[in-house]
Amino acid sequence: MPDDSPSAPPPRDKPLCDLSDLALFGARPLFDAPRHVNRPQAPDRAVFDALLDQVWDRRWFTNDGPLVQELERRLCDYLDVPHCVLTSNATAALDLVIHALGLEGEVLLPSFTFISTAHLLHLRKLTPVFCEVGADMMLDPADCAARMTTRTAAIIATHVWGSPCDIDALQALCDDRGIALLLDAAHAFGGRYKGRRLGGFGRAEVFSLHATKAFHACEGGLVTTSDADLAARLRLTRNFGFSGPDRVECAGVNAKMSELHAAMGLANLAGFEDSRAAAMRIHGAYARGLEGLPGLRLKSPPPEEENNHHYLVTEIDAAGFGMDRDALLALLTAENVWARRYFHPGGHRSPPHLGHSPALPRTEALCARVLLLPAGAAATSEEVAQICRLIRFAAARAPEIRAAAGA
Ligand code: T4K
C-alpha cells in the first residue's frame, strides 16, 4: 500500500533521468496510490440511485426480483439470445451448467485461463484435461483433438481478453463426438464472432459480472443459451430447486443474484458503449506510447473486431527488452503500477492440478511473458502517458537497472 508517512521520500515530480529516480532504488513512487489492472467502472450515480430507490420502495431485495428480470430481458436484447439466466457469479453459473448437463469423466480446457474452471471441475469430481494455447493465446483446437479420449465429456473454451476463440473448429470437434461445447465468456462482453454477438454460441456461454469485468454488477454471473430446457433447469437450480412456494422440483443451491447487484448491472449496461469507447481510447494511448519499443509486444485486437478493450496485454521478450517480465513487474509494482501476470503459472502448474498434467511448453512460455497493465474505462490518458514513459526508461536503462537491482 502507498507510504504516506511523514518520513516518506518527497513526491517524484521530476522526469526520470537517473536510476535513483526509480522507486526500486528509494525514490518516492510514481503514483501515491496503486493503479490497478481493470479498476472497476462506476456507473452514473443518479441512474444507480434511482434504481436503488425502486428497491427500497418495493422492499424486494432478492429471489428473482423485478430488477433481475429486467436485466435478463435487456441482456437478451443486447446479446441477441433467447435465454439469459443471472446468477451470483460466473463460477456458480458454470457449476449449475455442468450439473444440469450431467457431465462425467474428462473435460478439455485451456491451462491459460482463470483457475476457477479447473477448480470447479476438480470439486465436481471431473478430470480437467489441460490443453495448449495457439498463437492467439486461446485454446488450440488441434491440441484438443489430440487429447480427446472416450471419456471426454465436454470442452470448456475461454474467449481470452475479449476476443472470440476458434468457435467453429471447437464446435466441429464437439459435434463429431456428440459432446457439449461450453464457452467461458467472462472477458468477452460486447464481443462478436463472425458478426454475431458472443453469447449465442455453444451449448451455453458463461459471462462473469465481477467488478473487474468490462460490464459488471459488482459480483454476478450470466448464462446465455438457446436451449429453453437448460435455461429452465438453471432457474430452478439457482434457487434451491423451488418452482413456487413450498414446491421443490429438484436439488439446487443458492446462486441467485440480488436486486442490488442487478441495479448495478442495469446502471452499467446503460453506460457500456461509452465505457467501451473510453477503454478503446486508453488502448490507443498505450499503442502510441509503447510503439516501436523492442522486446515489448502489445496485443491488439484486429481493427475490424468489436472488442471491449478492457485488457491491456503485453508480452515481454527478455532478450529484446533487456529485462524479463518479472523484473519489469517488480519495477512497476514499486512505482504503484500494479501490473498483473494473468494467468501465471497456468492451471496445470497450480495446486491441486500440479503433477496431474503433462508439460505444456507453449502455455508455459506464454505464462512467462504476459503482463497486463492498468487499463479500461476507469484509467486516464495521463496515467497511461506516465506508465509508458516509465516502461521506456526501464527498457533504455535495462542493463544498469539489472546490475543495480542484483547488487
Ligand atoms: N473465467 C475467467 C476467464 C475469469 O477471468 C474469471 C474471473 C472467471 C471465469 C470467474 O468469474 P467469477 O466467478 O469471479 O464471476 C480477479 C477476480 O476476482 C475474478 O473475478 C477475475 N476473473 C480475475 C481475472 O480477477 P484476482 O484474484 O486477480 O482479483 P484481484 O482482487 O487481484 O483483482 C484484480 C484487479 O482488480 C486488481 O488489479 C485489483 C483490482 N480491483 C479489484 C476489485 C475487486 C479493483 O481495483 N477494485 C475492486 O473492487 O481475481
Side-chain angles (χ1 to χ4, degrees), residues 11-207:
R12 200 170 78 199
D13 52 4
K14 60 187 171 73
L16 285 161
C17 298
D18 201 12
L19 260 51
S20 60
D21 297 326
L22 290 172
L24 208 52
F25 303 117
R28 179 145 184 154
L30 176 59
F31 298 110
D32 282 339
R35 295 300 188 268
H36 289 294
V37 167
N38 303 131
R39 181 168 177 239
Q41 178 67 348
D44 185 319
R45 186 61 189 265
V47 175
F48 183 58
D49 284 349
L51 290 161
L52 288 191
D53 286 346
Q54 290 182 28
V55 178
W56 255 243
D57 292 347
R58 273 195 289 266
R59 293 293 192 279
W60 191 272
F61 290 110
T62 185
N63 291 12
D64 202 17
L67 293 190
V68 166
Q69 291 179 22
E70 185 181 339
L71 184 54
E72 287 181 344
R73 277 193 301 274
R74 290 203 186 189
L75 288 168
C76 282
D77 287 348
Y78 180 78
L79 298 173
D80 197 17
V81 288
H83 306 287
C84 279
V85 181
L86 287 167
T87 61
S88 49
N89 58 66
T91 309
L94 184 60
D95 193 24
L96 298 184
V97 173
I98 286 172
H99 177 69
L101 298 181
L103 299 186
E104 284 177 9
E106 299 171 355
V107 175
L108 305 188
L109 78 165
S111 173
F112 193 72
T113 188
F114 194 56
I115 195 68
S116 55
T117 304
H119 284 348
L120 188 56
L121 295 171
H122 175 80
L123 292 171
R124 278 273 171 208
K125 305 260 185 285
L126 287 146
T127 306
V129 176
F130 294 104
C131 301
E132 275 285 23
V133 281
D136 58 1
M137 300 194 188
M138 284 185 255
L139 188 59
D140 176 4
D143 193 67
C144 278
R147 292 177 202 273
M148 276 192 162
T149 71
T150 50
R151 284 176 45 76
T152 307
I155 296 179
I156 305 179
T158 304
H159 304 307
V160 183
W161 318 135
S163 294
C165 61
D166 191 348
I167 298 174
D168 284 349
L170 293 167
Q171 188 65 65
L173 274 180
C174 289
D175 290 347
D176 272 359
R177 295 294 188 103
I179 61 172
L181 174 64
L182 301 176
L183 294 155
D184 177 342
H187 289 183
F189 191 84
R192 287 185 192 270
Y193 180 69
K194 299 193 172 172
R196 186 168 152 208
R197 279 245 187 269
L198 295 176
F201 297 93
R203 188 78 186 274
E205 300 206 45
V206 176
F207 294 82

